[in-house]
Amino acid sequence: MMDNLRAAANHVVLKIILGLIIVSFVLTGVGGYLTGGSGDYAAKVDGQEISRGQLEQAVQSERSRLQQQLGDQFSVLAGNEGYMKELRKQALNRLIDDMLLDQYAKKLGLGISDEQVKEAIWAMPYFQTNNQFDNAKYLSIIANMGLTPDNYAQLVRQQLTSQQLIQAYTATGFTLPVEVEAMAALTMQQRDVRLATIDIKALEKAQQVTDEELKSYYEQNRNSFIAPEEVKVSYIEMDAAAIQDKITVSDEDIAAYYDQHKSSYTQPERKDYSVIQVKTEADAKAVLDELNGGADFAKVAAEKSTDIISRKNGGELGWLEPGTTPDEILGAKLTTKGQLSGAVKSSVGYLVIRLNDVKPEQVKPLAEVREDIATQVKQQKALDAYYALQQKVSDSATSDNESLAGAEEAAGVKATETGWFTRDSVPAALNFKPVTQAIFDGSLIGENGAPGSNSDVISAEGDRAFVIRISGHKPEGVKPMDQVKDQITNMVKRQKAIQQARNEGDKLLSALQSGKGDEALKAAGISFGAEQTLTRASEDRQLADTVFAMAQPKDNKPVYGLAQDRQDNIVLIQLDAVKSGHLSNEELKAFSSQMLTGATGITFDSLMDNLRSNAKIKLGSAASEMQ
C-alpha cells in the first residue's frame, strides 16, 4: 500500500484522517482556505505560484515561533506596523528561496522517494509515543497546523530535497591545515599595549563658547532639534470586562441556553472498528474463512493487511463518529459488537471490517455543564450590553459633535483628559494601534490647534472601545533656540574639547615618534599606564580596531599610534609586543569546522543570489501588504 503519497489519498486510514481534519476545519472556521478565495497570490517564481494561503501560514508560523521565544515582549513588537511588514516580507523571501531550491534540485535530478518521506515522518520525535509512531498524535498535530497528510508529506519531501541540495554543497568544502593554523594565529593574536588618555571631560569644563558659535551650530543643525507633534486628548472608554462584572444570570437563562444548544453537549454514537485491507475479493474471502474459523483478527491483520498504518495496530482504527467514518465502513452496516462484514469493495481493494464495540449517544446533564453555561450566558449578555452601549455612545457623540457631553451622559461616565503626549509617549490607556492611528492621522484635529470633532467608536483589542476628542494640538516643528541653548552649549563645548584633544594628541604622537615623548608627556601632565593585553574581541572595539591595524614592533622598539575610545577620549597607544594565538588540536578542529561553515555559507549565499538573479519573480497582490 502507499506506492506513493499522492495515490495514498484513497487509503482507508487517510480517509479517516481527512474526515477528522475536514470536521475540525468546519468547526474552527478554517474551511475558507479550502473552499476558494479571491484568486490572488503572493508571488510567482518562474511561473510557479506561492499562494496567499502559503504566505499567511508562513507568517503565522513565524509569529507563533517568536511568541514562544519572546513571550510578552513579542506583543510590543507585534504592535509595530513596520516590524510586522518586515516579518511578512522575510516570510515571503524564505518561501521564494525554498521554491528556487526546489526548482534547482529538480533541474539537477535530485529526488526523494515516497519511502524516504514515510520514514522521515515516522522518525519525527513529536509524532511518537514511547518511541513508537503515534497515528493519533500525528493527526492531531498536523490538523492544528491546518494541513492534510498529503500537504504535510509534500512539505517534508521539499525539506528533504533542499537538505540533499545543501549537503551537496557542504560535503565538497575543505580547508588546508596550513590555512587553519595561519587563520587561528591571526584571529587569536594578542597585543601588549600601554595607553595614555587625554580626558575629554576635563577639557570640556575649560571650554568657552560665544553666542555666535551657538547660533551657527543651531542654524547648521536645525533638523536635530525637531519638536515632535503633540496632542491632548479627552476620551471615553467602554470595557466589556467591566460590564460583565455587573451582569447577573438566572436559572431560567441557563435552562433556556441548555435547551437551545443541547447538541453542543451531546456525544454522538461512536463505534470502534478494526479493518483488514487486501488486494482481491478472493483474498478477502480467504481472510473471512480464517476469522470465521477462530483466527485472531489482530494477528491476521498484522500478517495479511496491505494497509501499513493500521496493520501495525492489529487493524485497529479507533473510535469513530458517523461524520468521520469512511463510506465503505458505513456501508457495511455493522450494528453488533464483534460482528464481521463480508468482502467490502473499496477504491484500494477489498476490506474485511469488524465492529469491536459501540458507545451510544450521550447527553451531558444540565448539572454537569451548568457552570460553563452560566459563564457563556454571562459573556453573551455582557457583549450584547457592550455593543448596545457602543451604539448609544456613538449616536450621542455624532449628534453633539462640539463636545463629549452627550457621549458622557450616554456612557454614564465622565471623559478622561490626558496631558500632552507624542507618538512615542502615548498613555498606556490609549496605546492601541487603531486608537493611535485615529489620534495622529489628522482627521480629528481642528484648525490652528483648536479642538476638532468627536471620533466614531474605535474598537481595540481586549473587547474595549473608545470615543476620543483631541482637545489640543501642537504640530511638529523646530524647537526655538532658547529651549535648546543648554543642549547646544554642551554639544559645542564637547566638539571643541575633542578637537583640542586631537590637536594635543597629534603633537604628542609626533613627539613620541621622534624620541621626545617623555618630555612632551610630562609637559602635558599625562603618562602611559600599566601594560595590558588586548585581543580582537576586546570590549572597546573602536580602540581594538586601531591597535590591531598598527604595524608590528621591530627590534624591541615600541610602535606608537592614536585612537579614540568609546567615551570620545583621545588615546595615545604604545604597542610593545605582538603574540600569535595558539590553539590545542581539539580547538583547531573546531576552528577548522567554523571556517568551513563560513566558507560554505558564502558559497551557498552566492548560489541563492545567482538563482534569484536568473529567476523571473513576480509579486502578487498578497505581497502588496508589505509595501
Side-chain angles (χ1 to χ4, degrees):
M1 189 55 205
M2 289 184 74
D3 293 331
N4 60 59
L5 286 170
R6 194 174 300 281
N10 290 323
H11 191 294
V12 64
V13 176
L14 289 188
K15 284 191 174 184
I16 294 170
I17 293 171
L18 290 170
L20 289 168
I21 291 174
I22 290 170
V23 168
S24 72
F25 279 173
V26 170
L27 293 176
T28 58
V30 188
Y33 286 111
L34 304 177
T35 57
S38 61
D40 59 343
Y41 60 90
K44 286 184 180 179
V45 182
D46 285 337
Q48 189 174 350
E49 183 176 298
I50 298 172
S51 68
R52 173 184 282 272
Q54 288 175 281
L55 175 58
E56 298 300 341
Q57 192 171 70
V59 171
Q60 186 57 44
S61 176
E62 183 63 9
R63 284 181 63 107
S64 299
R65 184 187 70 80
L66 290 170
Q67 181 68 55
Q68 291 179 354
Q69 179 179 328
L70 302 176
D72 293 339
Q73 294 179 10
F74 179 69
S75 300
V76 179
L77 294 175
N80 185 311
E81 184 177 358
Y83 176 83
M84 295 310 295
K85 283 185 176 181
E86 185 62 25
L87 183 147
R88 189 178 180 86
K89 182 178 179 181
Q90 290 177 1
L92 179 57
N93 283 335
R94 280 195 294 270
L95 289 174
I96 292 172
D97 286 347
D98 288 344
M99 186 165 285
L100 286 169
L101 282 175
D102 187 53
Q103 292 172 346
Y104 186 56
K106 290 176 180 176
K107 184 177 179 181
L108 295 178
L110 301 178
I112 300 296
S113 69
D114 298 326
E115 194 62 31
Q116 286 174 296
V117 174
K118 288 186 288 184
E119 289 176 359
I121 293 175
W122 288 339
M124 292 177 183
Y126 34 83
F127 294 151
Q128 295 183 0
T129 300
N130 297 327
N131 296 321
Q132 295 291 324
F133 178 76
D134 187 329
N135 193 53
K137 184 180 289 186
Y138 165 69
L139 296 182
S140 175
I141 291 174
I142 66 170
N144 288 336
M145 294 167 64
L147 297 172
T148 66
D150 212 20
N151 294 149
Y152 186 73
Q154 185 57 36
L155 290 176
V156 173
R157 186 188 304 277
Q158 186 177 25
Q159 184 181 38
L160 292 175
T161 303
S162 297
Q163 288 176 356
Q164 190 180 61
L165 178 61
I166 293 169
Q167 287 168 1
Y169 274 83
T170 57
T172 58
F174 68 91
T175 54
L176 297 173
V178 66
E179 291 180 306
V180 176
E181 292 175 5
M183 183 59 73
L186 184 61
T187 302
M188 305 303 293
Q189 188 183 89
Q190 298 178 335
R191 296 198 166 197
D192 294 336
V193 299
R194 298 176 188 272
L195 306 177
T197 301
I198 302 176
D199 186 8
I200 292 297
K201 288 186 177 179
L203 294 177
E204 275 186 67
K205 295 177 181 178
Q207 299 302 315
Q208 299 295 320
V209 294
T210 65
D211 289 341
E212 288 74 18
E213 288 175 322
L214 298 179
K215 185 176 180 181
S216 175
Y217 186 93
Y218 176 75
E219 293 299 333
Q220 293 174 20
N221 299 275
R222 290 175 66 88
N223 290 338
S224 300
F225 306 109
I226 298 295
E229 179 183 22
E230 290 186 278
V231 294
K232 284 200 302 185
V233 172
S234 295
Y235 67 91
I236 295 172
E237 180 182 0
M238 292 160 278
D239 185 350
I243 293 175
Q244 183 173 322
D245 292 340
K246 303 175 183 177
I247 297 294
T248 58
V249 178
S250 67
D251 291 341
E252 291 76 12
D253 293 332
I254 295 172
Y257 186 94
Y258 178 76
D259 291 338
Q260 292 168 13
H261 299 85
K262 189 165 288 187
S263 61
S264 300
Y265 307 105
T266 300
Q267 171 67 63
E269 180 186 65
R270 292 185 294 164
K271 293 183 177 181
D272 179 19
Y273 292 101
S274 289
V275 64
I276 298 173
Q277 181 175 296
V278 291
K279 292 182 178 179
T280 67
E281 185 176 12
D283 292 338
K285 289 181 177 179
V287 166
L288 280 168
D289 289 341
E290 287 188 58
L291 296 174
N292 289 326
D296 181 71
F297 192 100
K299 185 176 180 182
V300 175
E303 293 175 352
K304 297 188 176 181
S305 181
T306 58
D307 177 358
I308 292 176
I309 298 177
S310 66
R311 78 181 184 191
K312 287 188 174 182
N313 301 318
E316 175 75 30
L317 297 180
W319 291 98
L320 301 175
E321 297 177 3
T324 58
T325 305
D327 291 340
E328 295 96 328
I329 296 178
L330 288 174
K333 297 182 179 178
L334 303 179
T335 57
T336 306
K337 181 177 179 180
Q339 183 181 359
L340 285 173
S341 72
V344 178
K345 183 172 177 56
S346 76
S347 57
V348 291
Y350 284 82
L351 308 175
V352 174
I353 307 162
R354 184 180 70 179
L355 176 59
N356 301 323
D357 203 353
V358 179
K359 290 183 179 179
E361 177 183 281
Q362 293 181 332
V363 180
K364 292 183 180 180
L366 176 58
E368 186 177 329
V369 295
R370 180 184 180 83
E371 289 188 10
D372 289 341
I373 291 177
T375 300
Q376 291 177 1
V377 172
K378 190 171 186 178
Q379 289 174 345
Q380 188 58 55
K381 279 191 167 188
L383 283 176
D384 291 343
Y386 173 61
Y387 292 128
L389 177 62
Q390 283 190 39
Q391 187 61 53
K392 185 178 177 183
V393 172
S394 175
D395 292 342
S396 298
T398 303
S399 60
D400 177 11
N401 208 14
E402 297 300 318
S403 73
L404 285 177
E408 287 176 327
E409 185 177 350
V413 296
K414 295 293 291 182
T416 301
E417 184 164 8
T418 71
W420 290 100
F421 64 89
T422 69
R423 290 176 185 269
D424 296 326
S425 60
V426 179
L430 294 175
N431 199 10
F432 300 94
K433 184 177 179 180
V435 178
T436 56
Q437 284 181 334
I439 291 172
F440 289 102
D441 69 4
S443 62
L444 301 178
I445 297 173
E447 294 183 3
N448 300 321
S453 57
N454 298 334
S455 74
D456 199 352
V457 171
I458 304 169
S459 296
E461 60 191 76
D463 286 331
R464 294 181 179 180
F466 297 84
V467 171
I468 62 175
R469 181 178 180 82
I470 295 179
S471 52
H473 177 253
K474 296 177 184 178
E476 179 183 274
V478 178
K479 296 178 182 178
M481 184 172 169
D482 59 351
Q483 288 187 10
V484 294
K485 186 174 181 179
D486 290 344
Q487 181 183 353
I488 295 173
T489 300
N490 292 333
M491 290 178 174
V492 173
K493 280 186 175 183
R494 189 167 188 81
Q495 280 189 352
K496 295 179 77 172
I498 291 173
Q499 187 58 52
Q500 180 181 339
R502 284 185 185 279
N503 293 338
E504 291 181 11
D506 288 337
K507 292 177 182 177
L508 290 171
L509 179 60
S510 296
L512 288 165
Q513 290 172 338
S514 63
K516 301 177 181 178
D518 291 341
E519 296 177 10
L521 289 173
K522 186 176 181 181
I526 61 175
S527 60
F528 283 110
E531 185 175 80
Q532 56 182 290
T533 300
L534 295 183
T535 67
R536 294 182 187 274
S538 294
E539 189 175 347
D540 193 331
R541 293 298 302 275
Q542 185 171 328
L543 178 62
D545 287 345
T546 302
V547 169
F548 279 88
M550 293 170 62
Q552 297 193 24
K554 295 180 180 179
D555 301 327
N556 294 322
K557 293 181 179 180
V559 175
Y560 297 99
L562 194 67
Q564 193 168 355
D565 67 12
R566 290 180 299 171
Q567 288 76 39
D568 291 334
N569 298 313
I570 301 303
V571 181
L572 288 159
I573 305 165
Q574 178 179 306
L575 175 58
D576 294 326
V578 175
K579 305 170 187 175
S580 295
H582 296 284
L583 296 175
S584 67
N585 289 335
E586 287 300 317
E587 290 172 331
L588 276 174
K589 288 180 182 179
F591 190 80
S592 176
S593 177
Q594 292 174 354
M595 281 184 63
L596 180 58
T597 299
T600 301
I602 293 172
T603 303
F604 196 74
D605 287 345
S606 298
L607 169 66
M608 293 308 306
D609 289 342
N610 186 57
L611 291 177
R612 274 185 170 268
S613 64
N614 291 321
K616 184 178 180 181
I617 301 173
K618 180 181 179 182
L619 298 183
S621 59
S624 64
E625 298 170 17
M626 300 181 295
Q627 304 302 318

